[in-house]
Amino acid sequence: MTLQQLAYLVAVAECGSITDAAERLFISQPSLSAAIHNLEKEMGVTAFVRSNKGVAVTREGEELLSFARMLLEQADIMQEHFGAGRRRDPRFCVSCQHYSFAVNAFVDVVQQYDADRYSFILRETQTGEIIDDVSSGRSELGLLYLCESNESVLSKLLRKNELVFEELFTAEPHVFISRDHPLAARARITLDELRPYPYLVFEQGERNSFYFSEELLSMLDMPKTIQVRDRATLFSLVIGLNGFTVSSGIIDQKLNSPSIIARPLDMDGSMRIGLIRKKNVVLSRYAVSYVAALKKHLSID
């Protein structure tokens, strides 16, 4: 086993194709295939399932990849410390629901590992895609919430995909509304008071059930609902239509409009916001730094 073979393994997993990985690595396809085959034989695993559409990582391949990334990271650290060799470009991907603190933490990681070249990805996306991204290895970490109404379904789905949920904090439900909203002066807001106003929710695609909803309230709970795909559109509608959405109550005025405020929602329930990752996978230093940055912005020891 060599570091070069491990780098080849990671490249194939990222490209999803022997051909594309060979082009990225500037080697021939037969040479790359032979290197991967020899590594699989030495480790006694089948890392990829080949088809005419490319390659798919197996479950034992995911475990092998986690160790490969860890060893490559350690080699980078050693080369950086002793000044020998060329470091690999930093790579990190996280998929999350639409939380401003997730963006703040991502900014911290990019600044911490600033370099001439890097490839960082932040995906604010649908709940189902977050689970798919982490399960498939496209993202190293995911960020979402569990609550009493969705926990049984999502926890089962996480176990099925060999993912684990690690809680960061528990948030009481809040509403995001405009500073000019008729209810803005209220210390707490009730559901009955919100019924005349549009309820803004993030659209969840084919899995558009309340189990995958990013908001604590089911869409059936309110008479007026509008579905959106991104945070900027949602906040524009909060301001323009006196709409509201339900979330953790944590808002960053630098990243979001200063016209948006949070108010406690008078209802039962709570949101257990946390990270999901592959079971028994060693996190990269970028993922470790991201977790630390999240805890900093959430003031978690």
Side-chain angles (χ1 to χ4, degrees):
M1 179 189 68
T2 65
L3 290 176
Q4 185 179 63
Q5 285 177 307
L6 299 180
Y8 288 173
L9 181 79
V10 172
V12 172
E14 291 176 346
C15 293
S17 162
I18 296 286
T19 301
D20 292 345
E23 291 180 359
R24 179 204 282 186
L25 297 167
F26 301 103
I27 64 173
S28 68
Q29 182 176 336
S31 296
L32 179 57
S33 295
I36 296 297
H37 175 74
N38 290 337
L39 179 62
E40 289 177 315
K41 184 177 180 180
E42 182 180 354
M43 295 294 104
V45 303
T46 300
F48 302 107
V49 175
R50 282 81 166 171
S51 72
N52 56 6
K53 295 182 179 180
V55 298
V57 182
T58 65
R59 290 193 174 182
E60 58 184 0
E62 287 288 357
E63 187 175 4
L64 180 60
L65 276 164
S66 70
F67 281 101
R69 293 188 179 103
M70 178 185 65
L71 291 171
L72 289 169
E73 288 293 335
Q74 292 301 312
D76 283 348
I77 293 171
M78 183 175 68
Q79 289 175 343
E80 183 178 6
H81 178 77
F82 291 102
R86 178 186 174 188
R87 297 180 62 241
R88 290 189 308 123
D89 296 339
R91 293 178 178 273
F92 173 64
C93 180
V94 58
S95 297
C96 62
Q97 293 177 330
H98 298 77
Y99 300 128
S100 60
F101 55 83
V103 180
N104 287 329
F106 188 81
V107 170
D108 286 357
V109 173
V110 174
Q111 292 176 339
Q112 180 180 351
Y113 293 101
D114 190 18
D116 293 335
R117 292 172 57 89
Y118 55 72
S119 179
F120 293 140
I121 301 174
L122 173 64
R123 299 193 69 214
E124 283 192 330
T125 188
Q126 299 166 350
T127 303
E129 288 189 354
I130 295 171
I131 296 173
D132 291 344
D133 285 350
V134 180
S135 175
S136 66
R138 285 190 294 269
S139 292
E140 192 171 355
L141 294 173
L143 188 64
L144 47 74
Y145 84 95
L146 299 180
C147 65
E148 184 177 345
S149 61
N150 73 6
E151 185 167 3
S152 61
V153 172
L154 292 190
S155 293
K156 182 178 180 180
L157 186 59
L158 294 177
R159 289 193 298 270
K160 179 181 178 182
N161 286 280
E162 297 190 340
L163 304 177
V164 293
F165 176 84
E166 297 178 349
E167 182 176 336
L168 289 172
F169 73 106
T170 298
E172 300 304 316
H174 285 66
V175 289
F176 287 161
I177 57 176
S178 166
R179 288 187 182 276
D180 298 324
H181 194 283
L183 301 175
R186 300 296 302 272
R188 296 183 68 85
I189 298 175
T190 69
L191 292 177
D192 285 340
E193 290 172 324
L194 291 168
R195 287 190 179 278
Y197 305 101
Y199 180 31
L200 308 172
V201 299
F202 287 107
E203 190 263 329
Q204 296 295 327
E206 296 179 357
R207 290 174 279 199
N208 207 27
S209 73
F210 69 86
Y211 296 113
F212 291 89
S213 173
E214 193 167 326
E215 300 76 26
L216 197 58
L217 297 177
S218 149
M219 288 194 306
L220 300 178
D221 290 330
M222 306 304 290
K224 300 177 182 179
T225 61
I226 299 175
Q227 299 184 45
V228 300
R229 289 298 301 268
D230 65 86
R231 188 150 38 102
T233 300
L234 184 142
F235 284 144
S236 294
L237 296 178
V238 165
I239 296 170
L241 296 177
N242 274 335
F244 72 96
T245 191
V246 177
S247 190
S248 64
I250 300 175
I251 190 168
D252 187 304
Q253 300 296 343
K254 293 181 180 179
L255 294 177
N256 303 306
S257 170
S259 299
I260 304 296
I261 59 175
R263 290 290 182 267
L265 180 60
D266 191 9
M267 65 169 289
D268 294 330
S270 60
M271 305 170 66
R272 296 173 51 223
I273 298 175
L275 292 162
I276 61 171
R277 60 175 178 82
K278 291 287 286 185
K279 186 178 180 180
N280 298 325
V281 166
V282 179
L283 295 180
S284 70
R285 56 176 166 169
Y286 311 113
V288 171
S289 295
Y290 184 73
V291 174
L294 279 174
K295 292 181 177 180
K296 182 192 74 173
H297 286 287
L298 295 170
S299 299
I300 300 173
D301 294 329

